[in-house]
Amino acid sequence: MVKTGLLERLQEGPVIGDGGYVFTLEKRGYVMAGPCTTEVVIEHPEAVKQLHREFMRAGADVLQAFTFWSTDDRLSLSGPDAPGNETGKSITCKEMNDQACTIVKEVVGDGDTLVCGGLSNTPSYAQGKGRAAVQKEFSKQVDSFMEQDVDFLLAEFIGNVEEAEWAIEVLKGKGKPVACTLRIGPTGDDSGVPVGECAVRMAKAGADVVGLNCRFDANTCLKTIKMMKDALEKAGLSPYLMVQPNGYHSPETEQTKNGWTILPEFPFALGPRQMTRFEVHHFARAAFDLGVRYIGGCCGFEPHHIRAISEELSPERGGKLGDASKKHLPWGGALKTDQSEKDFINGKDTREYWESVKPALGRPGFPDVQEKLFRQ
């Protein structure tokens, strides 16, 4: 079948992205936290396939090949300051990226889901090796994406707008739509470039879609994307907007550069901070109302979170839903039952109930009810 392209879909309405791979596969035992490199695509391809399938069933319009941090300079980054990262001794960037694309294309098959080829920040940039060295690393990934004929290209999780511009330069001219997302909050990029200037520079570099991913939570990303939107409008630029926050509440990190990574719980004890599906409904609606048209998630966004985005924006998408929604009624609707089970359900079958619930377990701004529970 002939797919409708990314830009055409964005013109028609919201596009649902997929969720987080690194954190989910780490919890499942396939990725090592720290290096976070993606050798799982070669060692355990079935694990990556399953997660792709789950995001697609949840309603994602896009599946991103699992190529995060898969440049040769990252794969070879070892030593006392990078323990556990020995991938580059046996697997090359090309092998990793080719396999990742093969896996996601097998999952999509002849379906209508788009395949994205993504690249991310490089050690070469952090080490000050300059534009040529950085773009050489990017080019290896892009060559693989072009051979695999992905549907569009994405530069993501980049901390400095200068490196984003260098990435966009490599991606442009390939005949594919180009998206770019920074990992920044309201204070600007890692070098102090203001948010609005970052957005304008990415758009002027040639990105068709600009936005944010990962390092900050949903509320902070919405505030930051509003700053991007205002600056773009002032400059007379109109790329599509994209947001894929992490799935954990971290409001106290909003005015920092490193976001959630400074939390004491990062990365292994974040569970109590994770968004509920109902909070994701509100995030998706707020993002859409703000004018964002590519809406997904990053680390911490599980398939049921993507299903929540799909269900919230279904009216704007002509009623389109993923297959997973056949096993789900939003806002607890499937909890309606006969009288014999009423004590168990206890009124939990309405939107009003779930919007009034305040999860506990130590989340920021919410009560810890453990002591009360044990006293009862």
Side-chain angles (χ1 to χ4, degrees):
M1 65 181 297
V2 178
K3 297 181 186 180
T4 303
L6 175 66
L7 301 183
E8 291 76 16
R9 296 186 192 208
L10 289 168
Q11 187 173 17
E12 293 173 1
V15 168
I16 311 301
D18 54 3
Y21 288 87
V22 172
F23 269 52
T24 300
L25 289 168
E26 190 279 330
K27 286 187 286 187
R28 294 181 181 183
Y30 297 105
V31 169
M32 181 178 289
C36 296
T37 48
T38 59
E39 57 267 25
V40 59
V41 298
I42 291 176
E43 296 172 347
H44 298 283
E46 71 286 351
V48 182
K49 285 183 182 179
Q50 180 61 30
L51 189 51
H52 281 318
R53 290 191 191 100
E54 291 175 20
F55 284 130
M56 187 168 67
R57 276 180 48 80
D61 297 307
V62 174
L63 292 182
Q64 186 172 332
F66 190 32
T67 57
F68 181 74
W69 277 358
S70 291
T71 52
D72 278 331
D73 60 347
R74 178 73 62 179
L75 300 179
S76 300
L77 190 65
S78 60
D81 295 328
N85 196 356
E86 304 293 331
T87 305
K89 292 181 178 180
S90 58
I91 304 173
T92 67
C93 163
K94 178 169 175 52
E95 290 170 332
M96 194 95 85
N97 286 269
D98 284 350
Q99 175 70 349
C101 291
T102 296
I103 290 171
V104 69
K105 288 170 66 178
E106 288 176 358
V107 173
V108 170
D110 294 328
D112 195 39
T113 306
L114 298 176
V115 173
C116 168
L119 50 83
S120 45
N121 62 305
T122 64
S124 291
Y125 183 84
Q127 294 163 1
K129 293 184 178 180
R131 177 185 294 187
V134 171
Q135 292 188 328
K136 180 180 179 180
E137 297 297 333
F138 287 150
S139 293
K140 296 175 190 177
Q141 286 192 278
V142 175
D143 288 346
S144 180
F145 298 150
M146 296 308 297
E147 289 177 13
Q148 296 286 336
D149 194 27
V150 301
D151 295 303
F152 70 97
L153 303 169
L154 167 68
E156 66 165 357
F157 196 68
I158 296 180
N160 290 276
V161 69
E162 181 181 57
E163 187 177 16
E165 291 171 313
W166 295 353
I168 294 167
E169 287 178 8
V170 174
L171 299 179
K172 289 301 291 184
K174 302 295 184 181
K176 306 282 186 182
V178 173
C180 186
T181 54
L182 301 180
R183 62 186 191 198
I184 67 172
T187 62
D189 81 350
D190 290 352
S191 298
V193 178
V195 170
E197 181 180 339
C198 289
V200 169
R201 285 172 61 173
M202 289 192 292
K204 287 185 175 180
D208 303 297
V209 185
V210 302
L212 306 165
N213 82 295
C214 196
R215 184 162 277 182
F216 294 87
D217 67 15
N219 287 333
T220 298
C221 282
L222 289 174
K223 294 177 184 178
T224 309
I225 205 80
K226 175 65 163 57
M227 297 167 70
M228 285 186 159
K229 178 183 178 182
D230 290 347
L232 289 164
E233 290 178 350
K234 185 176 180 180
L237 300 168
S238 55
Y240 291 103
L241 298 175
M242 171 178 179
V243 64
Q244 298 199 119
N246 72 56
Y248 302 96
H249 293 276
S250 57
E252 63 269 57
T253 74
E254 186 170 292
Q255 295 301 314
T256 72
K257 294 294 183 188
N258 293 322
W260 67 326
T261 66
I262 70 170
L263 293 173
E265 303 98 320
F266 180 89
F268 299 124
L270 289 161
R273 290 178 176 264
Q274 190 166 39
M275 296 175 75
T276 69
R277 65 190 70 188
F278 309 112
E279 291 166 331
V280 173
H281 272 273
H282 288 290
F283 154 67
R285 179 56 53 190
F288 180 81
D289 289 347
L290 187 58
V292 182
R293 288 299 175 263
Y294 189 126
I295 304 170
C298 203
C299 298
F301 266 74
E302 302 282 345
H304 70 283
H305 294 119
I306 301 304
R307 181 179 62 190
I309 299 175
S310 172
E311 291 177 350
E312 176 63 33
L313 299 179
S314 179
E316 287 77 17
R317 291 155 47 78
K320 183 179 179 182
L321 289 168
D323 287 343
S325 290
K326 296 175 182 177
K327 291 289 187 180
H328 182 252
L329 294 179
W331 303 101
L335 297 181
K336 296 183 185 297
T337 186
D338 60 50
Q339 190 62 39
S340 65
E341 297 290 347
K342 283 297 182 182
D343 289 342
F344 169 68
I345 300 305
N346 197 26
K348 296 179 181 179
D349 55 359
T350 68
R351 177 170 183 155
E352 291 73 20
Y353 174 84
W354 289 109
E355 287 191 324
S356 69
V357 166
K358 294 185 177 181
L361 301 179
R363 292 168 50 144
F366 289 85
D368 184 347
V369 301
Q370 294 304 299
E371 185 179 349
K372 292 181 183 179
L373 287 174
F374 285 126
R375 281 206 307 263
Q376 292 177 356

